[in-house]
Structures are given as structure tokens and as C-alpha cells.
Amino acid sequence: MIELEDISYSYGKGPDLLSGVSLSLSPGGFYFLTGPSGAGKSTFLKLCYGELIAPKGTVSLFGRDVRDMTRDDIARLRRRIGVVHQDCQFVDHLSVTENIAMPITAAGQDPGAATRDIKELLAWIGLSAKADALPPHLSGGERQRVALARAVIMSPDVIIADEPTGNVDWEMSLRLMRLLTELNRMGKTIVLATHDLTLIRTMKQQVSARVLRIKDSRVALAGADL
Amino acid sequence: MIELEDISYSYGKGPDLLSGVSLSLSPGGFYFLTGPSGAGKSTFLKLCYGELIAPKGTVSLFGRDVRDMTRDDIARLRRRIGVVHQDCQFVDHLSVTENIAMPITAAGQDPGAATRDIKELLAWIGLSAKADALPPHLSGGERQRVALARAVIMSPDVIIADEPTGNVDWEMSLRLMRLLTELNRMGKTIVLATHDLTLIRTMKQQVSARVLRIKDSRVALAGADL
Amino acid sequence: MKVTRFGIFTVLIGDRRADRVVPPSRGMARLTEFSAAAMAFLAVFAIALSSATGRLADRWASELARTATIRISAPPGQVEEQTRRVLEVLATTPGVGSARALTAEEQRALLEPWFGPDLPIAALPVPQLVEVVETGAGFDSDGLQLRLRGEAPGAILDDHTRWRRPLVQAADRLRWLGFFVMGLISLTTGAIITLAAQAAMAANEKVIRTLRLVGARDVFIARAFVRRFTVRTFLGACIGTGLGVGVMSLLPPGDADQGFLTGFGFSGTDWLLPLLVPPLAAAVAFWSTRIAALRRLKGLT
Amino acid sequence: MKVTRFGIFTVLIGDRRADRVVPPSRGMARLTEFSAAAMAFLAVFAIALSSATGRLADRWASELARTATIRISAPPGQVEEQTRRVLEVLATTPGVGSARALTAEEQRALLEPWFGPDLPIAALPVPQLVEVVETGAGFDSDGLQLRLRGEAPGAILDDHTRWRRPLVQAADRLRWLGFFVMGLISLTTGAIITLAAQAAMAANEKVIRTLRLVGARDVFIARAFVRRFTVRTFLGACIGTGLGVGVMSLLPPGDADQGFLTGFGFSGTDWLLPLLVPPLAAAVAFWSTRIAALRRLKGLT
Ligand SMILES: Nc1ncnc2c1ncn2[C@@H]1O[C@H](COP(=O)(O)OP(=O)(O)OP(=O)(O)O)[C@@H](O)[C@H]1O
Ligand SMILES: Nc1ncnc2c1ncn2[C@@H]1O[C@H](COP(=O)(O)OP(=O)(O)OP(=O)(O)O)[C@@H](O)[C@H]1O
Ligand SMILES: [Mg+2]
Ligand SMILES: [Mg+2]
């Protein structure tokens, strides 16, 4: 599904943030990504959905090398990967509902057909009352929830979420996790960056999640030492 | 220091987010503010530094009613209150150092005199290497740390921080907390919104912090039930 | 890096869904519309200027220029003989298109303002006048004068072309000035729209990033921006052209006989020229926005 | 809501620290500079147009217009008597400024093109010409014609003013057109700069919010923006004016005798007029940005 082979990455002339990373994320897996702030979690995720392209090594998404893809190929690829960006990017002048429907619109499909799905999602994340609100009028946690809803609306094969629970309370975090585990049971691959070890420990009891840890520019599977 | 008397607040024609809130934050106090996502934590904090002005009730800052203040008065007031906004607002084309020095520049003083303070702060928050980086090139957690540094650089009487640890790892959270407790010992008033109950519990063992909880549009002191 | 082609047709038909993703920025919208309107308004005036000047230059070129007069003053008996010889000389002079002696009636008409209609022209020593029409190349007036002096001592060349030529040149120059101003206005419009489009793309980088993040293709994003700017420019240009034509039609109509200045404005089919302004402005906007949009998009992943 | 005054002086002196907080947006900067330059360039042409037309209108007004000719054709013995009576009539006609009979030499000079220099003018029935200069109000030419017919049957009024007046009017009209275009250009510049300033303020709302958050006063924020825009407009206008003057000076110099068209351009102290363009543009930018900035700031806390 997502294969990295001997990837090294650095911004500009800075030191290597990641170096010699080889990794294969298998379909249907549930992966946590952790590591200290500034270790390169977001960078790693951006490599996984083609926002960044590594100069050294190869990243293959769904079996294709990203460097061989045209811009349109990458656009089409993103429709199979739902992303929650750490900064929750929205189109600020469109309503919450329209933002959640944005992947459908961007794919050239009719968002009207998804109205019911969006309503159900909004109910689950506790934002039914905010369906017509504009993103800048949401609280920090509400924005993260909307971003997650947008990432899953097309039920993509892969869901990549960067700190999706940094601004929500514990109960809501668990609710969002339940949504993701549900999708994982349906066969979706989940990659989730978080610094919240309590959350990871709690989740490990519920799904067979693997934990990747970024340390010293390497990505390694964490064992029982978590 | 910060006194709220019978405050009610709602955005536009929405339901009252806060109603009948009377509260007095005393100088030198360390306050945690908690509550579920969307409860109104950020709104409450914005009332406390005059970004929002309540139509009903009075907010007195340093003994003056905010509604009697001119725009320039409010600007001067903000120099006595260091704020970490939940969205960590920066001037994106200025370096980290210049952003941290921004309150000094805005006050019309020479930021050159604070160079050493800024260096020490950067070292404490682990960002010495990022002194000349631009804010959009920082990771989420790095931005939050810079925002906190900017809030404390003028050593203001009050420090208001909205989820300053949402994107940093546990070790860094504790480091940031140590900075705030240090300032609190120097007599500064600290108000800190967070949804991280573990953090609150840990901190309560170190400082005599009071915990305010927003629930059903009321703000109440939480007791041992935390 | 190839982008599916989209033409001006797709742009005008539009796609409601794609459109909505571009923020309805009031500031930029007004800036674009206003610049387009102002430029269209000025363009209408520039067109009027060069069209009026064109007419003037044509008229002067055909009526005024290229004629000279030869005056033959001689004792009564010799006038006819000298006239014949002058005409002979002119027939062999390079640069002379045609030449003819004025009739008595024509001479009387010319002199009427001075002597009234009752002048006994036959009784007067009125010189015979010969009208010479130049070819395009013109003749060498000093050489002709010398040859005339030899053949017909009473003949004097009065070369109108000497003072008329600068007027025709000047009219031509003014026409070019009109074209120049029109070109300048087109360039300015193009540049302002381009810069506004670039500024809008820069201001909307967040929207563009978000759209790329959720899988929108470049063509989807660019089309929305291009359509917005093309339509706004077209509307602005229509308003400006309408105002310009309105103001022009309020100017008192020019009387063709009174020359250039009172004839400022459009005449006849010239009124159709301003209709070209809005489509041209829209085309400029289409291309400049399209290039700006696609260039900007290439910088993002 | 009061804001400490800051003048154009402070703006030009500048404050490095305040300046740095405004992002150096390339798009907006170029847009502002380019519009200012283009508008200044056009303004130079408009000034040249109205200045040239002004000169023309003045010359025509003084030289051509306001003169009429009275031609007195009478049997030799009666000419002097009738001339005297015509002058008497003119002396009492309202609207006539002055009148005088032409001397024999002047008449000979007028007729020379027709008859050559050797005309025995005394021997001919050449009519006596009287030159009449109108006052500003002008005279009633039909009434004068009637009165002349009674007093001097051989007198015929040739009223040049009838066909010259429209020319003067037209020149005046063209001068007003020049002023109008200049006004239009100023308004357009003001509007484009205002809109660009508003768009820039809107695009920089995040910077403004951040500055307010850390305790910056309105005057600090506004000054930075105002300075940026004023300086850019001034620079742009200087470039545009320089180019415009350069192009004008490349045009072949006009010969004053050849009338309006060849005389397009500046003459004498008119060359100083374009110097006013950059400061005026800067003033427009200063005020429009200042108003836009302070209005926008009021909306934020
Ligand atoms: N666009 C950029 N240009 C230059 N440096 C960058 C850029 N983006 C990130 N960095 C740097 O790369 C490092 C890793 O950033 P990244 O965002 O991947 O960290 P992270 O693990 O997601 O951290 P956090 O938990 O704080 O979000 C940081 O030190 C950051 O400053
Ligand atoms: N500008 C606004 N206009 C309208 N509604 C708003 C605006 N800002 C916030 N709200 C609404 O007010 C409520 C409280 O927002 P607030 O940001 O205070 O919550 P919060 O407690 O800080 O939540 P979080 O923990 O998610 O940051 C939310 O439901 C939000 O949608
Ligand atoms: Mg990150
Ligand atoms: Mg909040």
C-alpha cells in the first residue's frame, strides 16, 4: 500500500530529518506514529501522501512510484487517501458541510448524494448544530473533528491523520478513535500521528495497532517499552 | 486583577455560551481552565484580555472596565498580558526571534536589548536551532513553544495560554509548565486552558493551582472530583 | 505536468461547484472590475481620437495637399501663349499628376470675396491661374520654378504643399498617437488584471493548498479562478465601454465641414468599434489569469 | 477610537521597525507600482494634450476670432465718403471693439498672391476693406448689415466670426476634454490604489490580528501600511512620469506656426507640470490607504 525504500529527507540545506528509512505499511493495518515534537512525524506523513517528494529513495503509493506521477495523477491518488493535516486546512468561506463534501466536489462528483453520510458523521462528532457554520467560527477542537470527517467522507483506502486529537477532550478523542477503528475493521489502512501516549496505550488494547516511533531520524517499530 | 461580573456571552444570535459568570482571578494565582471541546474555554479567555467584549455584565482588567477603554488603552493593556492564542498567530515573514520580540517592538521599545532573554528562552524550549526560521517552517509543537515564548518575553503581569501543550510531547509539556510555575513564583498570574486532565493532575501536585471548569455555560471551581 | 485544455467556452459556461471554491473577495473583485471599467472607458476615448484623426488625415491628404498653383501675369496678348507653354512644361515634369488652367468663372469665384460679384474680370489684368496636382512622390519645386522662368517669364509657382504637408504629417502623427494610447491601455489592462490575478492567487494560497490536499486537479482550481476574473473583467469592461459611449454621444455632434476638432467622436460604423473592447478585455483577462494560475499551481504539490 | 495623528512627513521618514511587520507581498507591490506608473504615464499625455489645446485655443481666440471685414465697393468718388460713414456706424454699434480702414499697402499685400507685386492698385476698382474687431460679447451681425445698407449701400459685411467661432469652441472643448481625462486618471489612480490597499489589508488580516494581540496600537499598524503604499505609489508615479516625459521629448518639436497638431507636447514652463504628478499620486495613495487602514482596524479588537 505505502512503501518507503531507503528514504532520506531534509528541508533545504538542513540536517537529514529522516535518513535511510525503509518501511512498508500493509493494507488494513492500524499504525500509530509517535516521537518528540519536531522529530519529523508530519514530514513522514507528508511523504506518505505525496505532499513532499524525497530526493533520495523511493516512495510507492498503491504500487506506483510517486516520482513517476504527473500532478493530475497525484490529485487522483489523494482521492484514495484521506488526510487530516496538522493545521486542519479548510476553505474558510464555505460551510462545514461544504468543506466535508469538498473531496467529492474536487473529484467532480455530486456532493448532494452524500448529504446523509455527512449528517451522520456530524452527529457522531457532535457537530450537528454546526453544519452551516464557517470554519473560522469553530473552536480548535471542532475544527479537528471537521477535518477528520472530511478525511473519511469518501471512505478512502488509507486515512492519514496528523495529531487529530490535540485539541479535543478525552471523551471526544475516544469517540474519534472508535470511528477510525470502525473504518479499520472495514479494511481501511489507518496512519495516525500523535504524541499522546495514553491514547496509544488505550487503543492498543482495542485494536492490533502497531506503533512506529521516530527517533534520531530513524523510524522503528516500538515494542513493549511504550 | 481580572474580574468578571455577571457576564453573558453568545456569538451572534446563537445560544448563550456563557451566562451569569461572576469570577475574580486574584494576582499571583495559577488557574487551569478546562471543559469539553466547544464549551467556551477560548471564548472565556478572549473576554479576559479584551479580544471579545461582553454586551452584558462587566469585565474589569487591572481595575478598569474594558468597555470604558479606547482602542489604544486596550493595546497598552495587552502589553501587560501575555497571550498564547490557540491558533498561535505569527507574523509569517519574520523570523522566530523577531516574532518573539514582537511585543517589545509593538510597545515602541528596542528589541535589541532583549536579545539575551530571547536566546535563553529559545534554549529552554529547545529551539535554539530555529532562531532564524520562519513560523510556517516550524512543526506544530514548535509553533506552540514559540507562541509561549512570545507571551512571556515582556514578563507581563498576567499570562493567558490557550492549549499551549496540545501539540507537544509529555516531556516538553512539563518543561513548559516549569517555565510557567517559575513565573508564577515571581508573582505573575497564570491562566491556562487545557483539556489534558493528566497535565492538570500532575501540576496540582507542584503548585497550588485552582481548576476552573466550564460546564453548561457556567464556570465553576472544580474540587477533588477532578 | 500536462494540464487538460480548457477554453474560453468552458469558462463562460462555468461550473457552479468549482466556482464556489474561490472566495468572493470583495476587495479584489472590485479592483478588477473597476480597473477594467476605467480602462475600457479610456479605450473608447482613444478609439474616438484615432478614428477622428484618421478621418481628418484622409480628408486633408486628398483635399488639401498635393496641389500647387502657378500664377501667370503677362501683357494681355501673351497670357494664352505662356499658359500653353507652362502646361507643356508641367506635362514633362516628373511628379506632376495633372495640371489645368482655371476657367474665367473659376477665377471670378475665387476673387469674389475681394471684389464682389460684379467684377469685370475680362477688363482687368487678372493673372491666369494653373492648378497643379502632385503625384504621391511630389515634384521638385525649385527645379520647376527654374524651368518655368525659362519658358514663361510671367509664371510664378505658388507651392501650397510646402505649408500643407506638415499638417497632413501632423494628422498622421496624431493618428499614431491614438493607436499608441490604445496599445498602452491594452497593455496596462493586461498588466493590472495579471497582477490582480497573481495577487488573488497569492492571497488564496490556503484555499489552493486545501483543494490540492483533497484531490482537486489543477484544471479544476485554475478554471474557477480564471472564470471569476474573466467574467469580472468582461462586466467591468462592459460598464466602462457603456459609460464611454454614453459620454461620447452626449458631446455635440461634429459638423464634418468644420474640421477635426468639432468632429471629435464617432461617425457611422465607427460606433461599432467600442463593441470590441469588452471581448478583448475578457480575452486579455482569460489568458493572463490562466498563465498566472497554472504557474502558481506548479509551485505547490 | 481616536488615533494619534501622523502626517505625510512621518510617513516619508519612516520607522524601520514598524515597516518590517508588513509582509513584502510581491504581487501587491508590483500591482501598486505598475498602476501608479501607468497612470502617471497617461497623466503626462493628458497634461500635454490639455496644455497644447490650451495654447491653441488662446491663439485662435486672440488671432482668428473676433475680427470681421467690411468690403466697400463703390464708384471711385464715393468710396471715401462711404468708408467714413461705415466707420461712424461701427463706432456706435454695440459689440464692436475697434474698426479701421486698411491702407493701400495692406490691401496690396492681401492681393499680392493673386496679382503679383506689380498691381497698380490705384488704377483698379479694388474695394476698400475695413477690419472690425469684436468685443467679447460680439455684435449682432444681421442688425449691423441692415444699418450698413442704409448708410453705405456699397458696404458688405463679411463676418469671419461665423465660421471661426466653432473652431474656438472646439479648441475649448478639447481643452476641457484634456482636463476631464486628467480628472478621470486621478480618480482611477485613487480608486485603484484604494482598492489595492484594501485588498492588501484584507490579505494581511492575520498580521494585523497578531499585531493587535501583542499590543500594537492602531497608529503603529496603519503607519506601516500607509508608508508602504505611499512610497510604492510615489516610486511608480516617478517611473511613469519619467517615461512619459521621455516619450514626449522624443516627439519632434512642434513649430508654433504650424498650429495645434505639430505643436503637441510641452513648451517652456509646461515641462514643470509633470513634476506635480508623483507628489499628487503619493498624496492620493497616502489618504486612500490611511482611510482604508483605519477603517479596517476598527473592525478588529
Ligand atoms: N517547510 C519547512 N521548511 C523547513 N523546515 C521545516 C519545514 N517543515 C518542518 N520543518 C522542520 O522539520 C522538523 C520536523 O518537522 P515536523 O513538522 O515533521 O515535526 P513533527 O514531528 O510533526 O513535530 P510536531 O509534533 O511538533 O508536529 C522541525 O524541526 C521543523 O522545524
Ligand atoms: N467567531 C465565532 N462565531 C461564532 N461562533 C463561534 C465563534 N468562535 C467560537 N464559536 C463557537 O463557540 C463555541 C465555543 O468556542 P470556544 O472556541 O470558546 O470553545 P473551546 O472551549 O475553546 O473549545 P476547544 O477546546 O475545542 O478549543 C463553539 O461551539 C464555537 O463553534
Ligand atoms: Mg507535526
Ligand atoms: Mg479553544
Side-chain angles (χ1 to χ4, degrees), chain C residues 170-217:
Chain C
D172 264 339
R173 204 188 290 159
L174 202 59
R175 177 170 19 189
W176 283 112
L177 192 74
F179 287 143
F180 176 72
V181 170
M182 267 203 305
L184 194 73
I185 287 172
S186 310
L187 279 182
T188 311
T189 315
I192 289 184
I193 307 281
T194 308
L195 291 170
Q198 282 173 354
M201 298 291 290
N204 289 312
E205 190 159 317
K206 201 189 151 201
V207 173
I208 297 172
R209 275 184 190 285
T210 307
L211 291 174
R212 283 292 305 174
L213 189 71
V214 300
R217 284 158 68 218

Coordinates of all heavy atoms in Angstrom, one line a residue, chain C residues 170-217:
Chain C
A170 N 1.2 65.9 -39.4 CA 0.7 66.0 -38.0 C -0.5 65.2 -37.8 O -0.6 64.5 -36.7 CB 0.5 67.5 -37.7
A171 N -1.5 65.2 -38.7 CA -2.7 64.4 -38.5 C -2.3 62.9 -38.5 O -2.8 62.2 -37.6 CB -3.6 64.7 -39.7
D172 N -1.4 62.5 -39.3 CA -0.9 61.1 -39.3 C -0.3 60.8 -37.9 O -0.6 59.7 -37.4 CB 0.1 60.9 -40.4 CG -0.5 60.3 -41.6 OD1 -1.6 59.8 -41.5 OD2 0.1 60.5 -42.7
R173 N 0.5 61.7 -37.5 CA 1.2 61.5 -36.2 C 0.1 61.4 -35.1 O 0.3 60.5 -34.2 CB 2.1 62.7 -35.9 CG 3.2 62.3 -35.0 CD 4.0 63.6 -34.6 NE 4.7 64.2 -35.7 CZ 5.1 65.4 -35.7 NH1 4.8 66.2 -34.7 NH2 5.8 65.9 -36.7
L174 N -0.9 62.2 -35.1 CA -1.9 62.1 -34.1 C -2.7 60.8 -34.1 O -3.0 60.2 -33.1 CB -2.9 63.3 -34.3 CG -3.7 63.7 -33.0 CD1 -2.8 64.1 -31.9 CD2 -4.6 64.8 -33.3
R175 N -2.8 60.3 -35.4 CA -3.5 59.0 -35.5 C -2.6 57.9 -34.8 O -3.1 57.1 -34.1 CB -3.7 58.7 -37.0 CG -4.3 57.4 -37.1 CD -4.8 57.0 -38.5 NE -4.3 57.7 -39.7 CZ -4.9 57.5 -40.9 NH1 -5.9 56.7 -41.0 NH2 -4.4 58.1 -41.9
W176 N -1.3 58.0 -35.1 CA -0.4 57.0 -34.5 C -0.5 57.2 -33.0 O -0.4 56.2 -32.2 CB 1.0 57.2 -35.0 CG 1.1 56.6 -36.3 CD1 1.3 57.2 -37.5 CD2 0.9 55.2 -36.7 NE1 1.3 56.3 -38.6 CE2 1.1 55.0 -38.1 CE3 0.7 54.0 -35.9 CZ2 1.0 53.8 -38.7 CZ3 0.6 52.8 -36.5 CH2 0.7 52.7 -37.9
L177 N -0.6 58.4 -32.5 CA -0.6 58.6 -31.1 C -1.9 57.9 -30.5 O -1.8 57.3 -29.4 CB -0.7 60.2 -30.8 CG -0.5 60.6 -29.3 CD1 0.9 60.4 -29.0 CD2 -1.0 62.0 -29.1
G178 N -3.0 58.0 -31.2 CA -4.2 57.3 -30.8 C -4.0 55.8 -30.7 O -4.3 55.2 -29.7
F179 N -3.3 55.2 -31.8 CA -3.0 53.8 -31.7 C -2.1 53.5 -30.5 O -2.3 52.5 -29.8 CB -2.3 53.4 -33.0 CG -3.2 53.3 -34.2 CD1 -2.8 53.7 -35.4 CD2 -4.5 52.9 -34.1 CE1 -3.6 53.6 -36.6 CE2 -5.4 52.8 -35.2 CZ -4.9 53.2 -36.4
F180 N -1.2 54.4 -30.3 CA -0.2 54.2 -29.3 C -0.9 54.1 -27.9 O -0.7 53.3 -27.1 CB 0.8 55.3 -29.3 CG 1.8 55.3 -28.2 CD1 2.8 54.3 -28.2 CD2 1.8 56.2 -27.2 CE1 3.8 54.3 -27.2 CE2 2.7 56.2 -26.2 CZ 3.7 55.3 -26.2
V181 N -1.8 55.1 -27.7 CA -2.5 55.2 -26.4 C -3.4 53.9 -26.3 O -3.5 53.4 -25.2 CB -3.3 56.5 -26.3 CG1 -4.3 56.4 -25.2 CG2 -2.4 57.7 -26.3
M182 N -4.0 53.5 -27.4 CA -4.8 52.3 -27.3 C -4.0 51.1 -26.9 O -4.4 50.3 -26.0 CB -5.5 52.0 -28.6 CG -6.9 52.6 -28.7 SD -7.9 51.8 -30.0 CE -6.9 51.9 -31.4
G183 N -2.8 51.0 -27.5 CA -1.9 49.9 -27.2 C -1.5 49.9 -25.7 O -1.5 48.9 -25.0
L184 N -1.2 51.2 -25.3 CA -0.8 51.4 -23.9 C -1.9 50.9 -22.9 O -1.6 50.3 -21.9 CB -0.5 52.8 -23.7 CG 0.3 53.2 -22.5 CD1 1.7 52.8 -22.6 CD2 0.2 54.7 -22.2
I185 N -3.1 51.3 -23.3 CA -4.2 51.0 -22.4 C -4.4 49.5 -22.4 O -4.7 48.9 -21.3 CB -5.5 51.7 -22.9 CG1 -5.4 53.2 -22.6 CG2 -6.7 51.1 -22.3 CD1 -6.5 54.0 -23.1
S186 N -4.3 48.8 -23.5 CA -4.5 47.3 -23.5 C -3.4 46.7 -22.7 O -3.7 45.8 -21.8 CB -4.3 46.8 -25.0 OG -5.1 47.5 -25.8
L187 N -2.1 47.2 -22.8 CA -1.1 46.6 -22.0 C -1.3 46.8 -20.5 O -1.1 45.9 -19.7 CB 0.3 47.3 -22.4 CG 0.9 46.7 -23.7 CD1 2.3 47.4 -23.9 CD2 1.2 45.2 -23.5
T188 N -1.7 48.1 -20.2 CA -2.0 48.4 -18.8 C -3.1 47.5 -18.3 O -2.9 46.9 -17.2 CB -2.4 49.9 -18.7 OG1 -1.5 50.6 -19.4 CG2 -2.4 50.3 -17.2
T189 N -4.2 47.4 -19.0 CA -5.2 46.5 -18.6 C -4.7 45.1 -18.3 O -4.9 44.5 -17.3 CB -6.4 46.4 -19.6 OG1 -6.6 47.7 -20.1 CG2 -7.6 45.8 -19.0
G190 N -4.0 44.6 -19.3 CA -3.5 43.2 -19.2 C -2.6 43.1 -17.9 O -2.8 42.2 -17.1
A191 N -1.7 44.1 -17.8 CA -0.8 44.0 -16.6 C -1.6 44.1 -15.3 O -1.3 43.4 -14.4 CB 0.2 45.2 -16.7
I192 N -2.5 45.0 -15.2 CA -3.3 45.2 -14.0 C -4.1 43.9 -13.7 O -4.1 43.4 -12.5 CB -4.2 46.4 -14.0 CG1 -3.3 47.7 -13.9 CG2 -5.1 46.4 -12.8 CD1 -4.1 49.0 -13.8
I193 N -4.7 43.4 -14.7 CA -5.5 42.2 -14.4 C -4.6 41.0 -14.1 O -4.8 40.3 -13.1 CB -6.3 41.8 -15.7 CG1 -7.2 43.0 -16.2 CG2 -7.2 40.6 -15.5 CD1 -8.4 43.2 -15.4
T194 N -3.4 40.9 -14.8 CA -2.5 39.9 -14.4 C -2.0 40.0 -13.0 O -2.0 39.0 -12.2 CB -1.2 39.9 -15.3 OG1 -1.7 40.0 -16.7 CG2 -0.3 38.7 -15.1
L195 N -1.6 41.2 -12.6 CA -1.1 41.4 -11.3 C -2.2 41.2 -10.2 O -2.0 40.5 -9.2 CB -0.6 42.8 -11.1 CG 0.7 43.1 -11.9 CD1 1.0 44.6 -11.9 CD2 1.8 42.3 -11.3
A196 N -3.5 41.6 -10.6 CA -4.6 41.3 -9.6 C -4.8 39.8 -9.5 O -5.0 39.3 -8.4 CB -5.8 42.1 -10.1
A197 N -4.7 39.1 -10.6 CA -4.9 37.7 -10.6 C -3.8 37.0 -9.8 O -4.1 36.2 -8.9 CB -4.9 37.1 -12.0
Q198 N -2.6 37.5 -10.0 CA -1.5 36.9 -9.2 C -1.7 37.2 -7.7 O -1.5 36.3 -6.9 CB -0.1 37.5 -9.7 CG 0.4 36.8 -10.9 CD 1.6 37.5 -11.5 OE1 2.0 38.6 -11.0 NE2 2.2 37.0 -12.5
A199 N -2.0 38.4 -7.4 CA -2.3 38.8 -6.0 C -3.4 38.0 -5.4 O -3.3 37.5 -4.3 CB -2.6 40.3 -5.9
A200 N -4.4 37.7 -6.2 CA -5.6 36.9 -5.7 C -5.1 35.5 -5.5 O -5.5 34.9 -4.5 CB -6.7 37.0 -6.7
M201 N -4.3 35.0 -6.4 CA -3.8 33.6 -6.3 C -3.0 33.5 -5.0 O -3.1 32.6 -4.2 CB -3.0 33.2 -7.5 CG -3.7 33.1 -8.8 SD -5.0 31.8 -8.9 CE -3.9 30.4 -8.9
A202 N -2.1 34.5 -4.8 CA -1.3 34.5 -3.6 C -2.1 34.6 -2.3 O -1.9 33.9 -1.4 CB -0.3 35.7 -3.7
A203 N -3.1 35.5 -2.4 CA -4.0 35.6 -1.2 C -4.8 34.4 -0.9 O -5.1 34.1 0.2 CB -4.9 36.8 -1.4
N204 N -5.0 33.6 -2.0 CA -5.8 32.4 -1.8 C -5.0 31.1 -1.7 O -5.5 30.0 -2.0 CB -6.9 32.3 -2.9 CG -7.9 33.4 -2.8 OD1 -8.5 33.5 -1.7 ND2 -8.2 34.1 -3.8
E205 N -3.7 31.3 -1.4 CA -2.9 30.1 -1.4 C -3.4 29.0 -0.5 O -3.4 27.8 -0.7 CB -1.5 30.5 -0.9 CG -0.5 29.3 -1.1 CD 0.9 29.8 -1.2 OE1 1.2 30.8 -1.9 OE2 1.8 29.2 -0.6
K206 N -4.1 29.5 0.7 CA -4.6 28.5 1.6 C -5.7 27.7 0.9 O -5.7 26.4 1.1 CB -5.1 29.2 2.8 CG -5.2 28.3 4.0 CD -6.0 29.0 5.2 CE -6.6 27.9 6.0 NZ -7.7 28.5 6.8
V207 N -6.6 28.3 0.2 CA -7.7 27.6 -0.5 C -7.1 26.6 -1.5 O -7.5 25.5 -1.6 CB -8.6 28.6 -1.2 CG1 -9.6 27.9 -2.1 CG2 -9.3 29.5 -0.2
I208 N -6.1 27.1 -2.2 CA -5.5 26.2 -3.2 C -4.8 25.0 -2.6 O -5.0 23.9 -3.1 CB -4.5 27.0 -4.1 CG1 -5.2 28.2 -4.8 CG2 -3.7 26.2 -5.0 CD1 -4.3 29.2 -5.5
R209 N -4.1 25.2 -1.5 CA -3.5 24.1 -0.8 C -4.5 23.1 -0.3 O -4.4 21.9 -0.5 CB -2.7 24.6 0.4 CG -1.3 25.1 0.1 CD -0.6 25.5 1.4 NE 0.6 26.1 1.1 CZ 1.7 25.5 0.7 NH1 1.7 24.2 0.6 NH2 2.8 26.2 0.4
T210 N -5.6 23.7 0.2 CA -6.7 22.8 0.7 C -7.3 22.0 -0.4 O -7.5 20.8 -0.3 CB -7.8 23.6 1.4 OG1 -7.2 24.5 2.4 CG2 -8.8 22.8 2.1
L211 N -7.5 22.6 -1.5 CA -8.1 21.9 -2.7 C -7.1 20.8 -3.2 O -7.6 19.7 -3.5 CB -8.4 22.9 -3.8 CG -9.6 23.8 -3.5 CD1 -9.7 24.9 -4.6 CD2 -10.9 23.1 -3.3
R212 N -5.8 21.1 -3.3 CA -4.9 20.1 -3.7 C -4.9 18.9 -2.7 O -4.8 17.8 -3.0 CB -3.5 20.7 -3.7 CG -3.2 21.5 -4.9 CD -3.1 20.8 -6.3 NE -2.2 19.7 -6.4 CZ -2.1 18.9 -7.4 NH1 -2.9 19.1 -8.5 NH2 -1.3 17.8 -7.4
L213 N -5.0 19.3 -1.4 CA -5.0 18.3 -0.3 C -6.1 17.3 -0.5 O -5.9 16.1 -0.2 CB -5.1 19.0 1.1 CG -4.8 18.1 2.3 CD1 -3.4 17.7 2.4 CD2 -5.3 18.8 3.6
V214 N -7.3 17.7 -0.9 CA -8.4 16.8 -1.0 C -8.5 16.2 -2.4 O -9.5 15.6 -2.7 CB -9.7 17.5 -0.6 CG1 -9.7 18.0 0.8 CG2 -10.1 18.6 -1.5
G215 N -7.5 16.5 -3.3 CA -7.5 15.7 -4.5 C -8.1 16.5 -5.7 O -8.5 15.9 -6.7
A216 N -8.1 17.8 -5.7 CA -8.6 18.6 -6.8 C -7.5 18.7 -7.8 O -6.3 18.9 -7.5 CB -9.0 20.0 -6.4
R217 N -7.8 18.6 -9.1 CA -6.8 18.7 -10.2 C -6.6 20.2 -10.5 O -7.4 21.0 -10.2 CB -7.3 18.0 -11.4 CG -7.2 16.5 -11.3 CD -8.1 15.8 -12.3 NE -7.6 16.0 -13.7 CZ -8.5 16.2 -14.7 NH1 -9.8 16.2 -14.5 NH2 -8.0 16.3 -15.9

